[in-house]
């Protein structure tokens, strides 16, 4: 599985936004740049061969395209300050381009600026209320900020758009398990995740541990 959980037992997306790879298989991300994450202005979900794909056409006007593409390369290389500066310039040139706000939020988050990350991603979902990727990113940010209720709401919004979005499903399960102590929610969402990704041995171990704890 492609970097699906970190040491805090939290699922994390590892595909790219905007102009880079945006195709997901059910048990991993189809990408060669695992440092970045997905996003976009008009993402659509399509079932495909037991998995799914997110597809989009980033709505970035031509006058901002060069800055956007350069920003994506910088963010992918871990040069967050430079990438953020360019993405901010893109949002000034193209204030309705949700892709740029998602990528800006992800870059801010990776640079440790959680408040600006949340603000950017909230702007993205204002522009496109069906942006399930942005909601998942918001959930991870809220969890990092200790705002667990807001994190849960964000994951549930993503799953309301597409219940088979297994990253958000696993994130919600872990949030309920580790941070909220809501074992019923955790069991329900782990089970839903396992139906989507039945071969995840790490999650199977967590589920077994949860079953032991729930029995006491």
């Amino acid at each position: 599985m492609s970097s699906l959980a970190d040491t805090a037992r939290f699922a994390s997306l590892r595909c790219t936004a905007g102009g880079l790879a945006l195709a997901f298989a059910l048990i991993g991300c189809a990408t060669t740049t695992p440092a970045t994450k997905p996003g976009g202005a008009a993402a659509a979900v399509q079932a495909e061969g037991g998995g799914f794909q997110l597809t989009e056409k980033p709505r970035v006007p031509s006058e901002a395209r060069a800055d956007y593409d350069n920003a994506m390369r910088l963010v992918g290389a871990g040069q967050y300050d430079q990438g953020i500066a360019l993405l901010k310039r893109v949002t000034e040139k193209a204030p309705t381009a949700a892709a740029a706000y998602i990528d800006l939020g992800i870059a801010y988050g990776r640079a440790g600026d959680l408040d600006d990350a949340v603000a950017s991603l909230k702007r993205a979902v204002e522009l496109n209320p069906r942006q399930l990727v942005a909601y998942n990113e918001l959930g991870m940010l809220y969890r990092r900020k200790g705002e667990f209720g807001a994190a849960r709401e964000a994951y549930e919004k993503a799953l309301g758009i597409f219940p088979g979005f297994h990253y958000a499903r696993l994130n919600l399960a872990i949030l309920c398990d580790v941070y909220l102590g809501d074992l019923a929610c955790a069991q329900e969402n782990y089970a839903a995740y396992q139906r989507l990704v039945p071969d995840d041995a790490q999650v199977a171990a967590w589920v077994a541990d949860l079953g032991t704890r729930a029995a006491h």
Side-chain angles (χ1 to χ4, degrees), residues 99-126:
Y101 284 100
I102 293 174
D103 292 321
L104 181 57
I106 290 167
Y108 273 131
R110 294 186 66 82
D113 187 344
L114 303 189
D115 290 338
D116 281 337
V118 167
S120 295
L121 288 160
K122 287 176 72 173
R123 179 56 181 154
V125 297
E126 287 173 2

Side-chain angles (χ1 to χ4, degrees), residues 43 125 127-133 135 160-162:
V125 297
L127 291 168
N128 181 1
R130 293 187 59 79
Q131 234 320 330
L132 76 167
V133 171
Y135 285 123
I161 296 166
F162 185 63

Side-chain angles (χ1 to χ4, degrees), residues 3-12 136 139-140 143 151 155 170-172 174-176 178-179 206:
S3 301
L4 193 60
D6 66 17
T7 55
R9 195 193 282 188
F10 224 81
S12 175
N136 188 67
M140 289 189 284
R143 189 269 302 176
Y155 295 133
L170 181 56
N171 277 333
L172 179 56
I174 296 167
L175 182 77
C176 290
V178 177
Y179 297 94
W206 295 342

Side-chain angles (χ1 to χ4, degrees), residues 13 24 38-40 42-45 52-55 102 125 128-139 154-155 157-168:
L13 296 174
F24 290 78
V45 179
F52 68 88
Q53 282 191 327
L54 274 121
T55 59
I102 293 174
V125 297
N128 181 1
R130 293 187 59 79
Q131 234 320 330
L132 76 167
V133 171
Y135 285 123
N136 188 67
E137 295 291 337
L138 276 169
Y155 295 133
K157 284 182 178 178
L159 293 168
I161 296 166
F162 185 63
F165 190 29
H166 59 289
Y167 293 102

Side-chain angles (χ1 to χ4, degrees), residues 13-141:
L13 296 174
R14 297 297 183 190
C15 294
T16 62
L20 300 179
L22 199 61
F24 290 78
L26 198 58
I27 57 172
C29 296
T31 177
T32 59
T33 53
T36 54
K37 303 179 182 180
V45 179
Q46 300 174 343
E48 180 178 275
F52 68 88
Q53 282 191 327
L54 274 121
T55 59
E56 66 152 333
K57 295 180 180 179
R59 296 171 183 168
V60 179
S62 58
E63 62 269 22
R65 172 57 65 177
D67 283 342
Y68 182 78
D69 290 344
N70 287 334
M72 293 309 303
R73 284 191 285 271
L74 289 166
V75 172
Q79 299 178 35
Y80 302 121
D81 289 344
Q82 298 95 317
I84 286 167
L86 280 180
L87 285 167
K88 288 175 69 176
R89 193 157 72 189
V90 172
T91 63
E92 292 167 1
K93 293 179 179 178
T96 62
Y101 284 100
I102 293 174
D103 292 321
L104 181 57
I106 290 167
Y108 273 131
R110 294 186 66 82
D113 187 344
L114 303 189
D115 290 338
D116 281 337
V118 167
S120 295
L121 288 160
K122 287 176 72 173
R123 179 56 181 154
V125 297
E126 287 173 2
L127 291 168
N128 181 1
R130 293 187 59 79
Q131 234 320 330
L132 76 167
V133 171
Y135 285 123
N136 188 67
E137 295 291 337
L138 276 169
M140 289 189 284
L141 287 167

